[in-house]
Amino acid sequence: MTPRIPIPILAPTKSASITIPSFLLPSFCCQARYASILANLSDTPGAYNKRKRLGRGPSSGKGKTSGRGQKGQKAHGKVPKGFSGGQTPVEVSHGHYGFKNVSVLPISLFHLPRQIILSLTQYLSHSHGKEMSPINLDRVQSWIDQGRLNSKLPITLKELCASRALHGVKDGVKLLGRGGSSSLTTPINIVVSRASRSAIEAVEAVGGTVTTRFYTKFAIRRIKQGKTDPYVSMKWEPGMLPEPLQLPVGMGADPLQRVKGNGFQYRLPDPVSRKEIEYYRNPEKRGYLSHTLKEGEHPSLFYKPPGDAKVKRERAEVKQQAEGSKLW
């Protein structure tokens, strides 16, 4: 135990000008202080790392060679990154060929086993492509038979997530045709991000419709929260779904109603990139922007009608003749 230094009792004396009352004297007798209190102060364990002290003798564990081993380039100094001992580096002799296509959709990997997909999470995290959540026709039919999906109303991303047919949707939903046309027996009107050709044929064979539309991550989150309409946006065509199915959702052809978000807090966005616009303009993909195509027009934005150049040339000639007839 650390020593204690008692404080001497202050007793009243004749020479003292100030006297202490007698009832305060017992309190002074019991006071004591630690002489080495500052020596016991220390940081919390793990607050800092102990400095590595080199060259302090063999018993320190880091003496003589200071943890560098015996001789060699690494013991004498630093080695540049990629140094191969003086020979021609591999990246110079062989070089890099090809490229990594970061725009490839990870949906193409869904046929692989789950363990392989989990091992490719690092690739998927650095990919710029869209990660679609697959939904098959046999699963949709099973949910309809169980009463978890209503086939009389449009089946959208919101219904699929609410019925737990899908879990953790990130960039969108892709409809796949597992089981073929025999897996689906109920006519449905489904709105998804993308759909395979076999799934489109199977749904339309039983009298249903497939519509693909554009979604973003934030739009998907707000749709699940009930803050955004599941499929109607500014460019949505009212005739994309059968007439009786448009009224329950509350979407009309009124432009002012669409600008206000159709009663929702947020509006559903439309695509702005060239690839997305061309995909949803394609009637073969059952895109919701296919009504914007004119007769004989191609979904590509680089498409020009055959007579377009001739019309522009004639307009330029007429304009040039008009300017030539001016007096000044």
Side-chain angles (χ1 to χ4, degrees):
M1 185 176 179
T2 55
R4 297 183 179 182
I5 304 176
I7 298 177
I9 302 174
L10 300 177
T13 57
K14 294 181 180 180
S15 61
S17 60
I18 299 176
T19 58
I20 299 176
S22 59
F23 65 88
L24 292 178
L25 292 178
S27 62
F28 284 97
C29 299
C30 300
Q31 285 187 358
R33 294 183 180 179
Y34 289 100
S36 59
I37 185 173
L38 297 178
N40 295 333
L41 296 178
S42 63
D43 284 326
T44 306
Y48 66 94
N49 296 327
K50 201 171 182 181
R51 187 170 64 91
K52 186 178 179 181
R53 302 172 75 243
L54 304 176
R56 296 302 192 274
S59 61
S60 65
K62 297 295 180 182
K64 192 187 174 186
T65 56
S66 301
R68 287 175 172 257
Q70 294 184 4
K71 303 180 181 178
Q73 188 178 14
K74 294 183 178 179
H76 296 160
K78 294 183 179 180
V79 182
K81 183 180 180 181
F83 185 69
S84 303
Q87 69 177 7
T88 306
V90 177
E91 58 268 15
V92 175
S93 60
H94 294 282
H96 298 281
Y97 298 92
F99 65 98
K100 179 180 178 181
N101 190 1
V102 295
S103 300
V104 172
L105 295 179
I107 190 69
S108 60
L109 303 176
F110 286 148
H111 67 280
L112 299 176
R114 181 177 178 81
Q115 295 180 353
I116 299 180
I117 295 178
L118 294 177
S119 63
L120 296 175
T121 52
Q122 183 177 3
Y123 164 78
L124 298 179
S125 61
H126 293 85
S127 176
H128 296 170
K130 300 279 187 177
E131 186 173 353
M132 297 291 173
S133 299
I135 182 71
N136 284 275
L137 292 178
D138 55 355
R139 188 177 182 87
V140 174
Q141 183 61 48
S142 176
W143 253 240
I144 294 175
D145 296 339
Q146 298 175 28
R148 303 171 70 174
L149 285 176
N150 188 1
S151 60
K152 297 181 181 180
L153 297 177
I155 300 176
T156 64
L157 184 146
K158 183 178 181 180
E159 284 75 21
L160 293 174
C161 293
S163 63
R164 307 304 292 167
L166 287 176
H167 306 272
V169 180
K170 293 186 178 181
D171 295 319
V173 180
K174 183 168 184 178
L175 183 65
L176 302 178
R178 184 175 63 188
S181 58
S182 61
S183 60
L184 185 68
T185 58
T186 306
I188 59 174
N189 298 277
I190 188 168
V191 181
V192 291
S193 301
R194 303 190 178 183
S196 63
R197 182 177 300 179
S198 60
I200 295 175
E201 294 175 355
V203 173
E204 294 179 350
V206 295
T209 59
V210 177
T211 306
T212 59
R213 71 145 296 118
F214 174 75
Y215 291 106
T216 62
K217 288 186 177 181
F218 293 103
I220 293 173
R221 185 186 307 172
R222 290 167 180 167
I223 287 173
K224 295 166 67 175
Q225 296 174 353
K227 298 181 180 179
T228 305
D229 188 85
Y231 57 85
V232 176
S233 60
M234 293 293 295
K235 295 184 179 181
W236 177 269
E237 176 66 22
M240 295 300 296
L241 294 177
E243 188 67 26
L245 298 178
Q246 299 176 20
L247 300 179
V249 188
M251 302 302 125
D254 186 9
L256 182 60
Q257 185 182 8
R258 295 193 179 193
V259 171
K260 293 183 178 180
N262 300 308
F264 291 90
Q265 187 176 355
Y266 299 95
R267 286 186 302 186
L268 192 62
D270 291 309
V272 293
S273 65
R274 180 182 62 85
K275 290 185 178 181
E276 299 289 351
I277 294 175
E278 290 178 353
Y279 182 89
Y280 295 109
R281 275 163 52 98
N282 194 348
E284 296 181 358
K285 307 293 184 181
R286 303 301 186 267
Y288 76 108
L289 299 179
S290 58
H291 65 278
T292 59
L293 291 180
K294 299 179 181 178
E295 185 178 358
E297 191 175 0
H298 195 270
S300 176
L301 297 180
F302 295 108
Y303 172 80
K304 294 182 179 180
D308 193 16
K310 183 178 180 181
V311 172
K312 288 184 178 180
R313 185 168 57 253
E314 293 177 354
R315 290 178 181 176
E317 292 177 357
V318 172
K319 186 176 180 181
Q320 186 177 3
Q321 292 176 2
E323 292 180 353
S325 61
K326 291 181 181 181
L327 298 178
W328 59 83

